[in-house]
Amino acid sequence: MQASRKRCIALAVAVAYPLYCFADEPVSLVAQATTPVDAPSPAPASSATPSPPLQTLPPVEISVARKRLDAARNGLSPDTGSSIYRLERQDISNLPLGDSTPLNQVILQTPGVVQDSYGQLHIRGDHANVQYRINGVIIPESISGFGQALETRFVDHLSILTGALPAQYGYRNAAVIDIQSKDGELENGGGVGLTVGGHRHVEPTFDLSGTRGAFSYFLTGSYLRNDMGIENPTGERDALHDTTQQAKGFGMLSYLLGTDSRISLMFGASNNRFEIPNVPGQTPSFTLDSAPPADSATLDARQRESNRFVVVSYQASAGASFDYQVSVFNRSTDVHYQPDPIGDLQFNGIAADIQRRNDANGVQADTSYKLNPTHTLRTGLFAQHERFTVENGSTVFPADADGNQTSSMPIFIQDNTRINGNLWGAYIQDEWQPTRQLTLNYGLRYDQVSTVVDEHQTSPRVGLVYDLSTDFRLHAGYARYFTPPPTEKIDTTSVQKFQGTTNALPSDANTAVKSERSDYFDAGAAYQVTPKLTLGLDGYYRNVKHLQDEGQFGNALIFSAFNYEQGRIYGVDLSATYKDQPFSGYVNLGFTHARAKGIETGQFNFEQDELDYISTHWVHLDHEQQLSGSAGASYRFADNVTLSADALYGSGLRNGFANTTHLPSYTTVNVAAAKTFDFGGGFGKLDTRIAMVNLFDRVYELRDGSGIGVGAPQFGMRRTVYVSVRKPFSI
């Protein structure tokens, strides 16, 4: 069968390959983005004839079956009406740190994304609210901290979906990070690598992949140690007491059961340990019997974070029209903050040993049925049961009604919590293509949550894409969103237990964080000026009730959720992408306005004057950055040398009383040179790279310790050099 001729448009992403494709015949947009143009479509297996034993299938037939199942899996997840930014494997490799780039730093190279301390990302004015999917399966979120639970090395390509998402996507809606993992299909082999750099950075890595008939696999792991685990609370080059050790691993195993079905096992784990950096020269606020004043430069607070997940998926096609995937999953995540027993007590009036743990089990199912050439129906469900525990052992001082210490002899309070919760949802949607130029996706989803609250919502969604020409595409959408409170970030502190202590809380505090409900409108355009240059424009508006936000309200670096009564968020994203050989580049700009009014839960985290002000004023959200930008370029020379650079700009996050001011703007630039040497003989190739982060050694502050929910100052990393080598091998 002769494949239809296509012209493609990329909507706006760093050196991304074409995303939006225009064909002479109506075809699925998602399939166009994931299926090679010239690849023949395999005939579906007859339901009357059993598939031959896998061991008798020739390698070509096995490869075609894998490609067809990959395309079918991608076809389960529509994106009509949303904004999509896609990064291929080569695009990631072109970044200055390549595969060693932390995943959050990769995502920062797309429009509308703002960086924050502790590795946080804010997309389109939201605090977090980001959903990660790997191979179409939702990965349950981890407890917030500063370690990255997922790493970039296992990513084959990823898409970032924002805006008015189709009915399939629920719960975390600021953006969906849709990752397709490496799976061993392309090569039998792997590599071992080592990255060393400033701040005593040492990071060995390995990866292994391959196929054996119907079986394919991909495994990767890394270990990191350096002395800059968390952002420095001072502007100095080196932080005090900031060593980190991080071990991470990921695996993907897949086995073809027939030409139209397979079973997959996906698993990942991370175990990250951090020292909490110190700020010298501080004076204790409290006195402790038999203990001299502590030196703030020698405190020894620590935090440990661990995350583990495993997913088993069964995917199959029944004829040419029906595809489905069913997955069961388990996730365990915990954060343990260990205070400096004396120092935390003397400086903060409380030394709290806090451990939060969340275990989740669930199932996800998605189906797609091509009713006729113009209608594709999709439906599915998601169900999860979780167990959340908090163990909080706190040492505090007795205090009077004004919070003044009345005794230098501390007392101990144990404040433990157990929560069992359930979350489930279902959706149905129809992708309708009435003409070659117009695609419409409309649907409904229903969600219900039962944790600290019992709430539910039915949410309509509609999105459309219209091709004005082969070079110009418009998209628009509306989505009603329902965002349950993140159970693992609910502050369960007992108000009554801490009355009359230096950790006293208001008696009228409300800890039952509500589900956020919002109306989201999105519209945009993509214009392919030339075959090499693409421009993108996207605008959005969101009206929110019970707006969820998060903050670090104690000395422990753990985030807690709370609600504003209402919020308004809107903005515009601009982008330009140039793709050619050997040069490629991109520029992105994001303008964001994010405000809210009235605190309705978590009031005990705020001073009364701040509560009064927020109740009568629209305040900027602490993570609002009115202007953000990213840019990058790479050039590959004939002698296999690649030079690359990227840059980030921020106008400054909010600070001050009720977020009424903002920090100064900043720009950082990273550069790198990479070369592959071929020594021939028995040694073969060696990949090398040298990179410099913050080329101009800019001293810039992400946070200054003021503002709503901001715990301490954090400065960006000073100029640092990294050298990487990787030895690939074949098996």
Side-chain angles (χ1 to χ4, degrees):
M1 181 178 68
Q2 183 68 29
S4 61
R5 182 171 54 87
K6 302 180 182 179
R7 297 196 65 186
C8 300
I9 285 185
L11 174 61
V13 68
V15 294
Y17 287 160
L19 172 65
Y20 286 126
C21 300
F22 300 81
D24 295 334
E25 299 294 332
V27 289
S28 166
L29 290 175
V30 175
Q32 292 173 45
T34 56
T35 306
V37 172
D38 298 323
S41 299
S46 170
S47 59
T49 304
S51 300
L54 289 177
Q55 59 268 28
T56 68
L57 293 178
V60 172
E61 189 169 350
I62 289 177
S63 180
V64 170
R66 285 198 180 100
K67 286 181 170 59
R68 184 197 182 285
L69 287 167
D70 286 344
R73 181 175 62 196
N74 294 329
L76 292 170
S77 303
D79 49 41
T80 306
S82 56
S83 302
I84 312 124
Y85 311 96
R86 176 164 167 152
L87 288 166
E88 300 286 350
R89 185 187 301 191
Q90 186 59 49
D91 305 328
I92 296 172
S93 180
N94 286 340
L95 296 174
L97 290 176
D99 283 349
S100 295
T101 309
L103 188 58
N104 65 321
Q105 296 291 322
V106 174
I107 299 169
L108 275 171
Q109 301 304 316
T110 61
V113 185
V114 173
Q115 74 167 333
D116 199 348
S117 55
Y118 308 146
Q120 297 177 92
L121 294 176
H122 309 302
I123 300 179
R124 290 191 167 189
D126 233 314
H127 179 87
N129 195 24
V130 175
Q131 179 182 127
Y132 289 88
R133 290 182 172 227
I134 302 178
N135 301 331
V137 180
I138 299 174
I139 302 301
E141 57 202 291
S142 58
I143 297 177
S144 59
F146 17 81
Q148 299 292 307
L150 301 175
E151 60 178 355
T152 305
R153 289 182 183 86
F154 75 86
V155 177
D156 181 79
H157 62 272
L158 64 85
S159 297
I160 302 170
L161 283 68
T162 61
L165 302 175
Q168 179 167 3
Y169 302 101
Y171 313 123
R172 306 291 166 238
N173 302 116
V176 174
I177 312 301
D178 189 11
I179 299 171
Q180 299 298 313
S181 70
K182 299 174 183 177
D183 62 5
E185 170 70 15
L186 298 180
E187 58 182 347
N188 286 300
V192 292
L194 178 66
T195 298
V196 297
H199 309 291
R200 299 174 64 190
H201 183 104
V202 179
E203 185 178 11
T205 65
F206 86 92
D207 59 90
L208 182 67
S209 63
T211 60
R212 294 292 184 271
F215 177 67
S216 65
Y217 60 93
F218 177 81
L219 304 169
T220 185
S222 67
Y223 172 79
L224 165 66
R225 186 215 175 276
N226 65 37
D227 290 339
M228 191 62 75
I230 306 173
E231 285 87 358
N232 196 340
T234 75
E236 299 299 320
R237 183 172 301 276
D238 299 308
L240 293 176
H241 191 260
D242 201 8
T243 298
T244 182
Q245 299 180 62
Q246 303 179 32
K248 300 175 185 177
F250 174 84
M252 179 70 185
L253 311 178
S254 179
Y255 190 84
L256 283 172
L257 300 174
T259 56
D260 290 311
S261 62
R262 66 179 167 190
I263 188 167
S264 303
L265 173 66
M266 179 170 57
F267 53 89
S270 64
N271 195 335
N272 306 325
R273 299 175 182 273
F274 298 89
E275 294 178 340
I276 308 302
N278 296 327
V279 180
Q282 294 184 309
T283 302
S285 300
F286 301 89
T287 59
L288 175 64
D289 264 358
S290 305
D295 182 355
S296 63
T298 62
L299 303 182
D300 189 24
R302 300 169 181 264
Q303 188 154 303
R304 177 183 58 80
E305 305 171 7
S306 64
N307 299 280
R308 295 166 296 280
F309 68 87
V310 59
V311 180
V312 178
S313 299
Y314 174 75
Q315 182 196 352
S317 297
S321 302
F322 185 66
D323 300 297
Y324 63 94
Q325 178 170 280
V326 179
S327 304
V328 293
F329 62 82
N330 170 267
R331 187 268 286 127
S332 176
T333 177
D334 67 83
V335 171
H336 186 192
Y337 174 80
Q338 298 171 289
D340 183 294
I342 295 177
D344 277 27
L345 197 56
Q346 290 188 347
F347 284 99
N348 304 299
I350 178 173
D353 189 301
I354 302 173
Q355 182 163 14
R356 291 185 181 181
R357 180 180 178 87
N358 191 294
D359 295 285
N361 299 283
V363 61
Q364 177 184 339
D366 299 287
T367 68
S368 174
Y369 178 67
K370 192 170 185 60
L371 185 65
N372 56 48
T374 60
H375 287 274
T376 300
L377 301 179
R378 296 181 176 92
T379 185
L381 62 87
F382 176 90
Q384 172 182 285
H385 175 74
E386 56 186 330
R387 298 183 304 277
F388 177 53
T389 62
V390 177
E391 296 180 4
N392 181 356
S394 299
T395 304
V396 294
F397 291 112
D400 59 24
D402 296 323
N404 300 311
Q405 178 182 2
T406 58
S407 170
S408 58
M409 289 293 294
I411 57 177
F412 181 79
I413 297 175
Q414 190 70 40
D415 185 21
N416 296 345
T417 304
R418 302 286 188 274
I419 296 176
N420 288 317
N422 295 295
L423 172 66
W424 76 274
Y427 69 90
I428 184 170
Q429 59 193 359
D430 175 29
E431 186 175 288
W432 177 33
Q433 194 168 30
T435 70
R436 288 172 50 188
Q437 291 78 29
L438 176 64
T439 301
L440 180 69
N441 189 299
Y442 56 94
L444 286 172
R445 70 171 295 121
Y446 175 84
D447 299 289
Q448 183 169 335
V449 62
S450 176
T451 51
V452 294
V453 293
D454 290 298
E455 297 177 318
H456 60 87
Q457 179 175 291
T458 301
S459 306
R461 310 279 180 88
V462 61
L464 63 87
V465 171
Y466 186 75
D467 300 332
L468 288 176
S469 69
T470 56
D471 300 316
F472 196 80
R473 166 165 287 184
L474 300 175
H475 77 267
Y478 163 77
R480 177 70 173 164
Y481 284 149
F482 175 77
T483 306
T487 307
E488 66 281 353
K489 298 176 186 176
I490 295 173
D491 192 333
T492 59
T493 302
S494 171
V495 174
Q496 190 61 40
K497 285 186 177 181
F498 288 95
Q499 290 299 308
T501 74
T502 47
N503 191 47
L505 306 172
S507 59
D508 60 349
N510 180 4
T511 60
V513 181
K514 299 179 180 180
S515 297
E516 179 180 290
R517 304 169 190 265
S518 63
D519 295 289
Y520 200 122
F521 302 87
D522 177 87
Y527 177 45
Q528 188 172 357
V529 183
T530 72
K532 301 175 183 178
L533 176 63
T534 302
L535 303 179
L537 169 67
D538 205 80
Y540 56 92
Y541 174 83
R542 188 157 66 100
N543 187 43
V544 191
K545 291 184 178 179
H546 315 306
L547 185 146
Q548 287 180 17
D549 202 351
E550 300 171 9
Q552 180 208 332
F553 296 105
N555 196 45
L557 302 188
I558 300 175
F559 291 95
S560 297
F562 65 96
N563 291 106
Y564 290 95
E565 293 177 358
Q566 51 187 324
R568 294 174 185 166
I569 300 173
Y570 56 86
V572 176
D573 293 334
L574 303 171
S575 59
T577 302
Y578 185 86
K579 182 74 174 181
D580 193 13
Q581 292 293 341
F583 174 79
S584 60
Y586 61 94
V587 177
N588 302 309
L589 287 175
F591 301 87
T592 302
H593 177 98
R595 295 191 181 186
K597 184 178 181 181
I599 302 294
E600 62 178 350
T601 63
Q603 296 92 337
F604 58 83
N605 293 311
F606 299 85
E607 298 295 335
Q608 189 59 48
D609 58 344
E610 201 168 38
L611 285 172
D612 294 340
Y613 183 87
I614 298 172
S615 68
T616 58
H617 295 77
W618 286 90
V619 298
H620 297 271
L621 300 181
D622 72 286
H623 50 267
E624 178 202 76
Q625 184 166 261
Q626 293 188 341
L627 177 60
S628 59
S630 61
S634 66
Y635 189 90
R636 187 177 183 87
F637 294 88
D639 58 353
N640 209 22
V641 172
T642 300
L643 299 182
S644 60
D646 65 27
L648 287 177
Y649 169 81
S651 60
L653 295 170
R654 307 302 301 189
N655 68 341
F657 173 78
N659 299 335
T660 50
T661 58
H662 69 83
L663 290 163
S665 63
Y666 64 89
T667 303
T668 60
V669 178
N670 308 321
V671 297
K675 180 177 176 61
T676 297
F677 295 92
D678 192 345
F679 295 97
F683 188 80
K685 295 182 178 181
L686 183 69
D687 301 326
T688 64
R689 182 186 300 262
I690 182 169
M692 185 176 294
V693 174
N694 196 355
L695 172 66
F696 301 108
D697 200 24
R698 175 71 184 270
V699 179
Y700 64 101
E701 201 168 15
L702 293 170
R703 295 291 192 181
D704 68 354
S706 68
I708 298 173
V710 179
Q714 294 103 28
F715 285 78
M717 181 180 291
R718 301 285 297 273
R719 181 167 55 217
T720 306
V721 177
Y722 298 94
V723 177
S724 300
V725 295
R726 179 180 181 272
K727 177 65 183 72
F729 58 81
S730 299
I731 56 176

